[in-house]
Amino acid sequence: MPRHPRIPDAGVTRLSLYLRELSRLEGEGASFVSSAELARALTLTSAQVRRDLSYFGQFGTSGRGYEIRRLKRIIPRILGLEGRMWRVALVGSGNLGSALLAYRGFRERGFVIKAVFDKDPRKVGRVVAGQRVEEAGWLADVVRGRRIQIGIIAVPAVAAQEVCRRLVRGGVRAILNFAPVSLAAPPHVKLRNVDLSVELESLSYYLSSLNANR
Amino acid sequence: MPRHPRIPDAGVTRLSLYLRELSRLEGEGASFVSSAELARALTLTSAQVRRDLSYFGQFGTSGRGYEIRRLKRIIPRILGLEGRMWRVALVGSGNLGSALLAYRGFRERGFVIKAVFDKDPRKVGRVVAGQRVEEAGWLADVVRGRRIQIGIIAVPAVAAQEVCRRLVRGGVRAILNFAPVSLAAPPHVKLRNVDLSVELESLSYYLSSLNANR
DNA sequence: GCATGTGAAATAATTCACAGCA
DNA sequence: TGCTGTGAATTATTTCACATGC
């Protein structure tokens, strides 16, 4: 991919949002969309949309906007989702893990879950969303053997760091962590934390500073 | 709260991370922590930690760092979590909803789930994590009746916008949305989207742009 | 000596605003 | 006319670096 000068991190994240909105628009039969429309749908500004896209090329048409079909082909290419699959391991088959497994969106975007692990012997052997839950003991070896590139951590906080270590030992290059702890990983592994609790807490800040009470 | 000049949004979000790390440190018997230690644990810089805290006051001691106990009292006060409960409604009792219900962290921070709704008649009446699942039909009225302030959306994408509308009609002031759609809400309602899929997709960008293949 | 708190500088991200194209 | 693409300006956030206090 071209990958021009300095591309804001925030902009990259928004590309997936554009992609999702484009699918919705296409489903409604639209064939062009303006930056203003996209912006309205996603609570952004039109300049933001244009700027984000302009980092990667000139995809729009003056006076008309962006051709939806074209953009739907281009964005996955930019994101590195085109013509390839990412091999994913999910660790933890509790409620959150199951929710992730059940989510169709991953597969649609090229993320294929190649292994599901759980420490709990009662869960091992079960089949969740077509995936057999495996013994977590040899996680690293299995991950390496199946050439898995991405790990998703959906285990309790106390277990997360150890799981992280094993995933790294197995050779993953990226980890998505849902456990409420900050994990340490070597610099060559891209680590992203998604913290369900932190989101709620910062909402509290805005609520309580906005108005006194209710 | 003082709420000085311009407080970066990003800094507010980090306050919860500090809080979590402080609990961990306290559990290990530590009584002081330096900005450098906090930074290392959370993959930040020490300047960032000091700056974030300095927006709200001077809590550290030169040469020693921050007193953990003190900071643990102060941060909840800043976040508006002290001496109060936030009343929360959870909509959707599928896997994700159940995971959120089961998460002890919410209650510890003062978020009390006062209602769980589901559209599916088979799920209505069930008890999940001590909460009886209720009929989603009267959502708005129940939310208003129980004076619920925060709504959490954990339903499929297609249903999310309608749920959002009802929560707003019921008078919530903040919504945490886990459905993979961008929702529209009036400006007086603070809306935050947490997108599980988007996180994975942006990881893909970094992976594929970093090295050619594997 | 060690670590805070904070101006000042640097960098990142957003927004303005407008020339230019369809 | 309507909308893109993009310099320039603006605003937000991070980092530097150091005077100051324990």
Side-chain angles (χ1 to χ4, degrees):
Chain A
M1 275 306 94
R3 222 153 144 270
H4 274 146
R6 292 285 83 231
I7 295 173
D9 208 74
V12 173
T13 303
R14 283 191 294 263
L15 289 182
S16 333
L17 296 180
Y18 299 152
L19 194 51
R20 204 168 62 189
E21 184 62 18
L22 289 168
S23 296
R24 211 188 54 75
L25 286 165
E26 197 177 47
E28 291 190 345
S31 62
F32 275 80
V33 63
S34 70
S35 59
E37 289 174 276
L38 271 178
R40 189 154 21 78
L42 301 172
T43 336
L44 303 168
T45 69
S46 65
Q48 229 169 0
V49 173
R50 293 199 301 279
R51 176 77 68 192
D52 286 344
L53 294 173
S54 77
Y55 283 116
F56 302 96
Q58 309 193 157
F59 309 125
T61 310
S62 300
R64 302 252 270 148
Y66 299 90
E67 192 195 343
I68 291 174
R69 256 201 315 172
R70 173 140 184 254
L71 217 42
K72 265 199 68 185
R73 260 182 292 112
I74 286 167
I75 293 178
R77 197 178 306 162
I78 296 170
L79 288 174
L81 294 171
E82 190 198 42
R84 64 122 65 234
M85 294 286 185
W86 291 107
R87 306 163 74 87
V88 179
L90 171 66
V91 192
S93 68
N95 281 315
L96 181 55
S98 303
L100 295 169
L101 261 175
Y103 181 47
R104 299 288 277 102
F106 290 158
R107 178 138 221 156
E108 279 167 20
R109 291 282 186 257
F111 298 94
V112 188
I113 295 184
K114 290 290 186 184
V116 179
F117 298 100
D118 206 300
K119 190 162 68 173
D120 185 343
R122 286 168 305 177
K123 285 183 185 155
V124 172
R126 278 194 204 169
V127 175
V128 185
Q131 287 287 328
R132 183 191 193 79
V133 177
E134 301 177 60
E135 170 60 53
W138 303 349
L139 197 153
D141 294 324
V142 175
V143 163
R144 186 169 297 283
R146 295 188 198 158
R147 306 202 323 285
I148 283 168
Q149 297 136 332
I150 301 176
I152 301 181
I153 300 180
V155 303
V158 285
Q161 183 59 67
E162 173 59 18
V163 166
C164 178
R165 256 190 294 276
R166 291 186 187 187
L167 285 168
V168 169
R169 209 142 37 76
V172 304
R173 292 188 291 151
I175 293 175
L176 190 57
N177 171 45
F178 288 98
V181 261
S182 291
L183 300 180
H188 70 275
V189 175
K190 184 89 185 174
L191 173 61
R192 179 160 303 207
N193 295 297
V194 178
D195 199 308
L196 311 183
S197 172
V198 161
E199 300 295 336
L200 253 191
E201 289 172 37
S202 54
L203 274 183
S204 165
Y205 174 80
Y206 293 106
L207 289 184
S208 64
S209 63
L210 221 61
N211 22 30
N213 230 314
R214 184 203 178 99
Chain B
M1 275 305 94
R3 231 165 132 261
H4 274 147
R6 291 284 82 235
I7 294 174
D9 208 75
V12 172
T13 304
R14 284 191 293 264
L15 289 182
S16 332
L17 296 180
Y18 300 151
L19 194 51
R20 204 168 62 189
E21 184 61 17
L22 289 168
S23 297
R24 211 188 54 76
L25 287 165
E26 196 177 48
E28 291 188 345
S31 62
F32 273 80
V33 64
S34 69
S35 58
E37 289 175 275
L38 272 178
R40 188 155 23 77
L42 300 172
T43 336
L44 303 168
T45 70
S46 65
Q48 227 169 2
V49 174
R50 294 199 300 280
R51 176 76 68 191
D52 286 346
L53 295 173
S54 78
Y55 283 116
F56 303 97
Q58 309 192 159
F59 309 126
T61 311
S62 301
R64 301 251 270 148
Y66 299 90
E67 192 196 343
I68 292 174
R69 250 189 331 162
R70 172 138 186 258
L71 217 44
K72 265 198 69 186
R73 260 182 292 111
I74 287 167
I75 293 179
R77 197 178 306 161
I78 296 169
L79 289 174
L81 294 170
E82 190 198 42
R84 64 122 65 236
M85 294 285 188
W86 290 107
R87 308 163 72 88
V88 179
L90 171 66
V91 192
S93 68
N95 282 315
L96 180 55
S98 303
L100 295 170
L101 261 176
Y103 180 48
R104 299 288 276 100
F106 290 158
R107 179 138 220 155
E108 279 168 21
R109 292 282 186 258
F111 297 95
V112 187
I113 295 185
K114 290 291 187 182
V116 179
F117 298 100
D118 206 299
K119 190 161 68 175
D120 185 342
R122 288 168 306 177
K123 287 183 184 155
V124 172
R126 277 195 202 167
V127 175
V128 186
Q131 286 288 328
R132 181 191 194 78
V133 178
E134 301 176 61
E135 170 60 53
W138 315 51
L139 197 153
D141 295 323
V142 175
V143 163
R144 185 169 297 284
R146 295 189 198 158
R147 305 202 324 284
I148 284 167
Q149 296 135 334
I150 300 175
I152 300 181
I153 299 180
V155 303
V158 285
Q161 182 60 67
E162 173 60 17
V163 166
C164 178
R165 256 190 294 276
R166 291 185 188 188
L167 285 169
V168 170
R169 213 149 25 84
V172 304
R173 291 188 292 151
I175 293 175
L176 190 57
N177 172 44
F178 288 97
V181 263
S182 292
L183 301 181
H188 70 275
V189 175
K190 185 88 184 175
L191 174 60
R192 179 160 304 207
N193 295 297
V194 178
D195 200 309
L196 311 183
S197 173
V198 161
E199 300 295 336
L200 252 191
E201 288 171 38
S202 54
L203 274 183
S204 165
Y205 174 80
Y206 292 106
L207 289 185
S208 64
S209 63
L210 219 60
N211 23 29
N213 229 313
R214 183 202 179 102

